[in-house]
Amino acid sequence: MEQTLKNTRIAWIDICRAIAITLVIIGHSLGPYWPGNFGNFIFAVHLPIFFVLSGYLYKAKSFLYRVRTGIKTLIIPYIATVMIEIAIACFVKVFPNNKFLFSRIGSIKGILLAAVYGS
């Protein structure tokens, strides 16, 4: 027996998200080249659209569920990114005249301090 899923998407929300995504792309692509009121309008509108839609679609979840999903979707990728950055910094220290990696990599201490502060 085949089970059909009811389409639970709300069309006007998808349209608003598409408009907001388009504004993000325009704002970040043409922002430096299009200063003035139009650029200011794009930057003043695109992020609040996402906040309003997120608030509209918010469903209360238990604290333990939020902690578990937060660790899985935020903390673990953050730690993995810091570890990759430290590995790149070690590689740059061992091979200082590398043609592929530039000298934007700071010290390992600086990377760890930035990771603790979340910058």
Side-chain angles (χ1 to χ4, degrees), residues 25-48:
I25 293 170
I26 291 171
H28 286 280
S29 299
L30 301 177
Y33 307 109
W34 222 342
N37 293 334
F38 185 70
N40 291 339
F41 171 76
I42 287 176
F43 278 105
V45 169
H46 74 279
L47 195 58

Side-chain angles (χ1 to χ4, degrees), residues 62-93:
S62 71
F63 178 74
L64 187 61
Y65 176 80
R66 288 186 297 168
V67 168
R68 268 189 265 150
T69 56
I71 289 172
K72 190 185 331 178
T73 60
L74 297 172
I75 302 298
I76 292 174
Y78 185 76
I79 291 172
T81 303
V82 170
M83 299 293 279
I84 290 170
E85 191 173 359
I86 289 173
I88 291 171
C90 291
F91 183 79
V92 168
K93 298 292 180 192

Side-chain angles (χ1 to χ4, degrees), residues 13-59:
I13 290 180
D14 288 339
I15 293 168
C16 287
R17 287 177 60 202
I19 292 169
I21 290 169
T22 305
L23 289 175
V24 168
I25 293 170
I26 291 171
H28 286 280
S29 299
L30 301 177
Y33 307 109
W34 222 342
N37 293 334
F38 185 70
N40 291 339
F41 171 76
I42 287 176
F43 278 105
V45 169
H46 74 279
L47 195 58
I49 291 173
F50 287 118
F51 282 130
V52 168
L53 294 177
S54 296
Y56 183 78
L57 296 173
Y58 178 76
K59 294 179 183 146

